[in-house]
Amino acid sequence: RSHCLDHSSLNMSNTTVTLIVGGIIALGGFIGYARKGSTASLIAGGASGGLLITSSYLMDSNPAVGYPLALAISGLLAVMMGSRAAKGGKFMPGGLVAVLSTVAFGYNAVVFFNGAK
């Protein structure tokens, strides 16, 4: 059945996607702090990026925790930062975080709800 997903290849890629998105978000928080002195960016970016990075490692060892954690964090970021970008009328940084988070959320949802092990 060619329409079925190959979970083994998705799981490795999914861990990588979540790890990269988490790293970019954490780095963005640091850049916001370095450029504008935004402690809120440092804390929010560091915490959410750190949780996504942690979830990427948990996806292999404890998928029942790793995937829901990634879904919760990426879903929350997509909604919050998307709303912020829409209200502010600027793509950066909120729009970028919303796009990255939406990609991570979608990919994690597909893998998790199709039987990630």
Side-chain angles (χ1 to χ4, degrees):
R1 297 178 4 198
S2 62
H3 67 278
C4 290
L5 295 172
D6 177 6
H7 297 298
S8 63
S9 65
L10 283 176
N11 287 341
M12 183 159 78
S13 298
N14 188 51
T15 301
T16 304
V17 166
T18 305
L19 180 64
I20 290 170
V21 169
I24 290 170
I25 290 171
L27 179 62
F30 176 76
I31 291 170
Y33 177 75
R35 288 191 176 171
K36 305 233 178 184
S38 174
T39 304
S41 290
L42 181 64
I43 293 169
S48 55
L51 285 169
L52 283 172
I53 291 167
T54 299
S55 73
S56 74
Y57 287 103
L58 289 172
M59 287 174 183
D60 286 330
S61 62
N62 192 351
V65 173
Y67 285 97
L69 178 60
L71 288 168
I73 298 300
S74 60
L76 185 63
L77 281 172
V79 170
M80 290 178 63
M81 297 305 279
S83 173
R84 180 177 171 190
K87 286 178 187 171
K90 297 187 311 181
F91 181 73
M92 292 296 286
L96 178 62
V97 172
V99 168
L100 290 172
S101 298
T102 300
V103 168
F105 181 88
Y107 201 82
N108 285 325
V110 167
V111 174
F112 183 65
F113 293 112
N114 279 294
K117 295 179 175 140

Coordinates of all heavy atoms in Angstrom, one line a residue, residues 74 77-79 81-83 85 93-103:
S74 N 4.7 23.5 20.4 CA 4.7 24.1 19.0 C 3.3 24.7 18.7 O 3.2 25.7 18.1 CB 5.1 23.1 18.0 OG 4.3 21.9 18.0
L77 N 3.0 28.0 20.6 CA 3.9 29.0 20.0 C 3.2 29.5 18.6 O 3.2 30.7 18.3 CB 5.3 28.5 19.7 CG 6.2 28.4 20.8 CD1 7.5 27.7 20.4 CD2 6.6 29.8 21.3
A78 N 2.7 28.6 17.9 CA 2.1 28.9 16.6 C 0.9 29.9 16.8 O 0.8 30.9 16.1 CB 1.6 27.7 15.9
V79 N 0.1 29.6 17.8 CA -1.1 30.5 18.0 C -0.6 31.8 18.6 O -1.1 32.9 18.1 CB -2.1 29.8 19.0 CG1 -3.2 30.8 19.5 CG2 -2.7 28.6 18.3
M81 N 2.4 33.4 18.7 CA 3.3 34.2 17.9 C 2.6 34.6 16.6 O 2.9 35.7 16.0 CB 4.6 33.5 17.7 CG 5.4 33.3 18.9 SD 5.7 34.8 19.9 CE 7.1 35.4 19.0
G82 N 1.7 33.8 16.1 CA 0.9 34.1 14.9 C 0.0 35.3 15.2 O -0.1 36.2 14.4
S83 N -0.6 35.3 16.3 CA -1.5 36.4 16.8 C -0.7 37.7 16.9 O -1.1 38.7 16.5 CB -2.2 36.0 18.1 OG -2.9 37.1 18.6
A85 N 2.2 38.4 15.5 CA 2.6 38.9 14.2 C 1.4 39.6 13.4 O 1.6 40.6 12.8 CB 3.2 37.8 13.3
P93 N 9.7 39.0 14.7 CA 10.1 37.6 14.8 C 8.9 36.7 14.9 O 9.0 35.5 14.7 CB 10.9 37.5 16.0 CG 10.3 38.6 16.9 CD 9.9 39.7 16.0
G94 N 7.7 37.3 15.2 CA 6.6 36.4 15.5 C 6.1 35.6 14.4 O 5.7 34.4 14.6
G95 N 6.1 36.1 13.2 CA 5.6 35.4 12.0 C 6.5 34.2 11.7 O 6.1 33.1 11.4
L96 N 7.8 34.4 11.8 CA 8.8 33.3 11.6 C 8.6 32.2 12.6 O 8.6 31.0 12.3 CB 10.2 33.8 11.6 CG 11.3 32.7 11.4 CD1 11.2 32.1 10.1 CD2 12.7 33.4 11.6
V97 N 8.5 32.6 13.9 CA 8.3 31.6 14.9 C 6.9 30.8 14.7 O 6.9 29.6 14.9 CB 8.3 32.2 16.3 CG1 7.9 31.2 17.4 CG2 9.7 32.8 16.6
A98 N 5.9 31.6 14.3 CA 4.6 30.9 14.0 C 4.7 29.9 12.9 O 4.2 28.8 12.9 CB 3.6 32.0 13.7
V99 N 5.4 30.3 11.8 CA 5.6 29.4 10.7 C 6.4 28.1 11.1 O 6.0 27.0 10.8 CB 6.3 30.1 9.5 CG1 6.7 29.1 8.4 CG2 5.3 31.1 8.9
L100 N 7.5 28.3 11.7 CA 8.3 27.2 12.2 C 7.5 26.3 13.1 O 7.6 25.0 13.0 CB 9.6 27.7 12.9 CG 10.7 28.3 12.0 CD1 11.8 28.9 12.8 CD2 11.2 27.3 11.0
S101 N 6.8 26.9 14.0 CA 6.0 26.1 15.0 C 4.9 25.4 14.3 O 4.6 24.2 14.7 CB 5.5 27.0 16.1 OG 6.5 27.7 16.8
T102 N 4.3 26.0 13.3 CA 3.2 25.3 12.6 C 3.7 24.1 11.9 O 3.1 23.0 11.8 CB 2.5 26.3 11.7 OG1 2.0 27.4 12.4 CG2 1.4 25.6 10.9
V103 N 4.9 24.2 11.2 CA 5.5 23.1 10.5 C 5.8 22.0 11.5 O 5.5 20.8 11.3 CB 6.8 23.6 9.8 CG1 7.6 22.4 9.3 CG2 6.5 24.5 8.7

